[in-house]
Amino acid sequence: MSSYLIPEWPVPKNVKAFFSTRQGGCSLAPYDSFNLGDHVEDLIENVTLNRNKLKTDLNLVSDPKWLQQVHGNQIINVTEWQPEIIADGSFSVVPDQVCVVMTADCLPILLCNHAGTQVMALHGGWRSLAAEIIPKGIALFNCPTQEIVVWLGPAIGPKVFEVGEEVRAQFLKLNQQLTEAFVPSPKGRWLMDIYAVATFQLNQLGVTQIFGGQHCTITEKDKFFSYRRDGQTGRMAALIYF
């Protein structure tokens, strides 16, 4: 399925995870073509067709629990889900409930325990990471942190993610060791490695089984939407369920 990336990570066979690319949908430019976001001024009928295609392609037995994301740290149990619920993450301990987050440069984070009985999807933009969405998510797992497996989906890469000193300062306030995730940019700002920040925060909690993190949404224009590159654009989805 060229419309999707399938994470390569050692999770139980009952756990299913996918990341949609920008390819294979019906939306027109600048949302071409597999836009799943209903909040970006794309034609709602095209978004609906794309979401229906997603459900059919992946043989989902229930609709993904779409969230209204606000770059915060709220994480919901999918049993509490309702339309337009505000959150930047969800988790499930029951089968066939699809956790999902949408991104277009922010870091999608999928998590699973060794037993395959709890899954989670987090929207890891820099604001959510600074608000410690990762520690909040890990605390919801009912297993030792050594039994948590993580996949970091496509996000803005460390060679192009330029931020100001105010962003760097927020992370150094959390932990001075995060200085290694920032290097000076030619413009006098900072290049942030969002993958390194997430990995560090996970490691600090005892999570070491971390996979993914090889893509860049800005430079891989044919595969991924990028808000920072294009402004008005579509959204991709990271999904996980068991």
Side-chain angles (χ1 to χ4, degrees):
M1 294 181 288
S2 61
S3 299
Y4 306 92
L5 298 180
I6 301 176
E8 295 182 4
W9 58 336
V11 296
K13 290 185 178 180
N14 68 303
V15 175
K16 307 298 181 185
F18 304 91
F19 182 82
S20 69
T21 68
R22 69 180 300 167
Q23 302 168 347
C26 65
S27 292
L28 304 176
Y31 312 103
D32 46 325
S33 59
F34 199 24
N35 168 45
L36 297 166
D38 64 357
H39 62 292
V40 295
E41 300 183 15
D42 190 7
L43 294 173
I44 193 64
E45 53 265 37
N46 287 342
V47 177
T48 299
L49 286 170
N50 287 337
R51 288 187 174 186
N52 289 340
K53 181 179 187 296
L54 176 85
K55 186 176 181 181
T56 300
D57 287 350
L58 303 182
N59 296 312
L60 303 179
V61 299
S62 64
D63 290 327
K65 300 300 188 285
W66 304 101
L67 306 173
Q68 184 176 338
Q69 299 167 191
V70 293
H71 300 275
N73 63 4
Q74 183 67 27
I75 304 167
I76 65 157
N77 187 318
V78 289
T79 60
E80 302 169 353
W81 182 89
Q82 54 188 329
E84 303 302 317
I85 194 165
I86 295 174
D88 282 273
S90 63
F91 72 94
S92 177
V93 294
V94 294
D96 298 323
Q97 297 299 306
V98 183
C99 299
V100 59
V101 291
M102 288 185 290
T103 60
D105 284 333
C106 290
L107 176 62
I109 306 170
L110 300 181
L111 307 94
C112 172
N113 63 348
H114 279 182
T117 56
Q118 182 171 342
V119 295
M120 180 179 293
L122 301 177
H123 172 228
W126 75 260
R127 291 179 179 83
S128 295
L129 294 181
E132 300 191 283
I133 194 172
I134 286 178
K136 190 171 182 181
I138 295 300
L140 294 172
F141 275 85
N142 54 3
C143 68
T145 55
Q146 296 87 348
E147 296 181 10
I148 299 173
V149 188
V150 177
W151 184 73
L152 304 178
I156 184 170
K159 295 182 179 179
V160 292
F161 188 19
E162 193 170 45
V163 299
E165 174 60 30
E166 73 285 356
V167 174
R168 178 174 176 268
Q170 289 188 51
F171 286 99
L172 297 192
K173 186 176 180 179
L174 294 177
N175 194 307
Q176 284 292 319
Q177 294 182 62
L178 282 171
T179 185
E180 298 180 5
F182 296 85
V183 299
S185 78
K187 298 179 182 178
R189 288 159 60 83
W190 298 94
L191 292 173
M192 174 179 169
D193 188 340
I194 200 168
Y195 291 123
V197 169
T199 298
F200 177 85
Q201 291 183 332
L202 289 162
N203 288 166
Q204 289 290 104
L205 297 164
V207 180
T208 58
Q209 297 180 82
I210 305 167
F211 300 85
Q214 295 92 9
H215 290 285
C216 175
T217 47
I218 281 191
T219 58
E220 297 178 70
K221 187 174 183 178
D222 60 325
K223 290 183 181 179
F224 307 122
F225 294 117
S226 168
Y227 178 79
R228 185 168 282 218
R229 182 189 63 223
D230 299 328
Q232 195 170 22
T233 191
R235 296 294 186 271
M236 302 164 294
L239 312 94
I240 188 167
Y241 63 99
F242 67 93

